[in-house]
């Protein structure tokens, strides 16, 4: 069965882009446009990996991450941070990878495969 | 080559286009050339730091003492204050002067005015920041274009018309963003005369609020007008006025959107006629407000607290337009409560 990836970004265009690319690479995807919705989708879809957009201080992405790492069930789901702001991933303690926009698709795919142990 | 007389040597020193001073071990000025005399006054009985009005006591790394100590030449950049109180940036060199016995008897200092170089340096730093800000804005648009192109290609491959359209919209959206940034930058980089005409400010306000009403409603924000009917017409640049209101309302919507604490959000656009014939336009929101750290920065070019979502040019363009009109833009804000921006256009004779 294909692994499932949750894409969180409040820009619908970015969600479309990343999900399209991941689907073409053979993954199932689901998406959310903010952190609150992200938690709901997380519970429902139980993804194997999350890509998270982090940019504004106090934004919902940071909160999403905090909630996720607090839950027993999901705390070990790998997170890849996709951010427009270099060096701002500090809010997340240990993302498996950090990408700046615009993303390098091949590098993203490598990081996804590696964190899924493929 | 002929030997110089003492008189000639002094005349040469006097006509050097820099400040030349001679100091003893206790930093007293033994002699200064004409240029130093003219700009800093009589050195008699003064130490060098007194003559040059360096703040406080002697300089932290005294060049003169260093040269006395190691017999070498030293230099550094300093700011001096002239007798008239002007600050000038100089590059200072100190060099030991030996007596007949070979001992260092005094130290000569030359100070060259580098104010113009400093000014250039400042402009370059500013330019660097501008370019960095620009590059950041472009990065996100690149991502959008990348994505649009990817989705278009995918749609073409799958012969999926809907997907092609979706991708194409992503491309167009980001194209618009680039166009706006380029226009804003061009706008800011040129001195331009506003195209003053008779306009009806209230109509422009209505026009802009109609443009935003749907978007605002989508976020649960009510857009409300409070227009002074006395404001019938004014002499302004119509495009400029339109941009000012658009920028302020767009910011107000963002501030409400990002505010998660209140159930109801309201933006009010007001117009007022002053007794002096000025026209004041206010945009008030009950959004996030602006915190202390941010307050000082919001008018800077490329400052944005919105990450990828903002270029930080909006207020800069707004401020420029207000200046061109001889007007002003100010704001008051309470963090967590909301913000009111006030644009004041002075009265202008027809
Ligand atoms: N009404 C407001 N409430 C709260 N903060 C504001 C408001 N207006 C401006 N700001 C702050 O000032 C910053 C600069 O505003 P400016 O309009 O110059 O850029 P921007 O809105 O971030 O980007 P752009 O205008 O290009 O979309 C904003 O990022 C925000 O932090
Ligand atoms: Mg703005």
């Amino acid at each position: 069965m294909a692994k499932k990836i949750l894409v969180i970004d409040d820009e619908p265009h970015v969600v479309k882009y990343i999900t399209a690319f991941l689907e073409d690479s053979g993954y199932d995807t689901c998406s959310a446009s903010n952190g609150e919705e992200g938690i709901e989708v997380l519970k429902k879809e139980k993804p194997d990996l999350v890509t998270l957009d982090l940019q504004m201080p106090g934004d919902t992405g940071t909160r999403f991450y905090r909630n996720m790492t607090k839950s027993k069930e999901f705390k070990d789901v790998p997170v890849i941070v996709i951010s427009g702001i270099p060096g701002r991933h500090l809010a997340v303690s240990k993302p498996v990878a950090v990408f700046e926009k615009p993303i390098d698709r091949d590098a993203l795919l490598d990081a996804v495969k590696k964190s899924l142990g493929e | 080559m002929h030997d110089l007389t003492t008189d000639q040597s002094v005349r040469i020193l006097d006509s050097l286009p820099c400040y030349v001073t001679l100091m003893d071990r206790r930093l007293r000025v033994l002699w200064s050339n004409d240029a130093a005399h003219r700009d800093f006054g009589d050195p008699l009985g003064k130490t060098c730091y007194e003559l040059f009005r360096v703040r406080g006591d002697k300089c932290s790394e005294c060049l003169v003492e260093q040269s006395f100590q190691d017999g070498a030449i030293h230099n550094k950049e300093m700011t001096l204050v002239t007798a008239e109180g002007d600050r000038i940036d100089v590059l200072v060199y100190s060099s030991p002067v030996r007596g007949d016995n070979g001992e260092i008897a005094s130290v000569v200092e030359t100070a060259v005015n580098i104010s113009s170089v400093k000014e250039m340096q400042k402009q370059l730093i500013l330019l660097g920041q501008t370019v960095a800000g620009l590059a950041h804005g472009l990065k996100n648009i690149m991502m959008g274009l990348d994505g649009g192109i990817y989705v278009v290609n995918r749609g073409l491959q799958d012969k999926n018309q809907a997907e092609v359209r979706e991708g194409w919209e992503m491309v167009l959206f980001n194209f618009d963003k680039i166009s706006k940034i380029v226009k804003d930058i061009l706008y800011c980089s040129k001195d331009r005369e506003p195209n003053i005409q008779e306009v009806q400010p209230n109509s422009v306000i209505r026009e802009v609020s109609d443009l935003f009403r749907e978007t605002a409603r989508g976020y649960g924000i009510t857009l409300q007008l409070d227009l002074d009917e006395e404001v019938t017409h004014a002499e302004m640049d119509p495009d400029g006025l339109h941009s000012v209101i658009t920028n302020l309302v767009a910011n107000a919507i963002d501030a409400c959107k990002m505010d998660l604490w209140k159930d109801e959000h309201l933006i009010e656009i007001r117009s007022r006629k002053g007794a002096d014939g000025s026209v004041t336009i206010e945009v008030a929101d009950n959004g996030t407000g602006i915190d202390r750290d941010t307050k000082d920065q919001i008018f800077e070019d490329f400052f944005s607290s919105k990450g990828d979502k903002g270029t930080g040019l909006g207020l800069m363009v707004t401020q420029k337009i207000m200046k061109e009109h001889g007007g002003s833009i100010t704001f008051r804000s309470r963090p967590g409560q909301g913000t009111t921006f006030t644009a004041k256009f002075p009265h202008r004779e027809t």
Side-chain angles (χ1 to χ4, degrees), chain B residues 170-183:
Chain B
M170 290 162 71
V171 172
L172 291 182
F173 177 82
N174 285 285
F175 177 78
D176 282 348
K177 277 214 236 173
I178 289 206
S179 313
K180 183 171 181 301
I181 292 186
V182 171
K183 260 193 243 153

Side-chain angles (χ1 to χ4, degrees), chain A residues 5-90:
Chain A
I5 301 175
L6 166 59
V7 176
I8 305 179
D9 199 304
D10 59 351
E11 188 84 70
H13 290 168
V14 176
V15 170
K16 171 71 194 177
Y17 175 30
I18 298 178
T19 52
F21 169 63
L22 292 173
E23 280 164 18
D24 292 346
S25 311
Y27 296 100
D28 285 344
T29 62
C30 48
S31 65
S33 65
N34 60 52
E36 276 87 58
E37 197 188 326
I39 289 289
E40 280 168 35
V41 181
L42 184 71
K43 287 182 180 149
K44 207 167 75 206
E45 302 274 345
K46 305 195 189 333
D48 303 285
L49 181 140
V50 176
T51 78
L52 183 61
D53 162 62
L54 279 188
Q55 37 183 308
M56 290 178 260
D59 68 356
T60 62
T62 316
R63 238 174 299 155
F64 167 86
Y65 183 77
R66 240 181 264 137
N67 285 334
M68 187 180 115
T69 45
K70 264 192 269 169
S71 96
K72 255 207 197 90
E73 189 180 358
F74 299 113
K75 69 178 188 334
D76 294 323
V77 176
V79 173
I80 291 180
V81 170
I82 295 178
S83 153
I85 302 177
R88 273 291 296 283
H89 48 270
L90 299 163

Side-chain angles (χ1 to χ4, degrees), chain B residues 50-62:
Chain B
E50 283 165 350
L51 182 68
F52 291 139
R53 289 176 191 73
V54 183
R55 229 191 306 165
D57 219 8
K58 70 176 189 204
C59 311
S60 51
E61 286 162 31
C62 176

Side-chain angles (χ1 to χ4, degrees), chain B residues 232-298:
Chain B
T232 48
H233 56 268
E235 297 292 312
M236 296 178 187
D237 179 341
D239 294 339
L241 178 63
H242 199 278
S243 297
V244 167
I245 305 170
T246 304
N247 280 323
L248 295 182
V249 174
N251 282 349
I253 290 182
D254 287 342
C256 291
K257 237 163 56 179
M258 293 196 296
D259 175 51
L260 307 170
W261 304 107
K262 300 177 203 81
D263 293 330
E264 283 177 16
H265 284 111
L266 180 69
I267 296 173
E268 188 168 83
I269 316 177
R270 309 176 188 128
S271 66
R272 290 285 177 272
K273 181 124 188 162
D276 54 358
S278 62
V279 172
T280 302
I281 294 172
E282 286 195 331
V283 176
D285 66 67
N286 65 343
T288 54
I290 304 173
D291 60 39
R292 211 177 289 261
D293 294 342
T294 312
K295 266 191 169 134
D296 298 335
Q297 304 176 57
I298 63 167

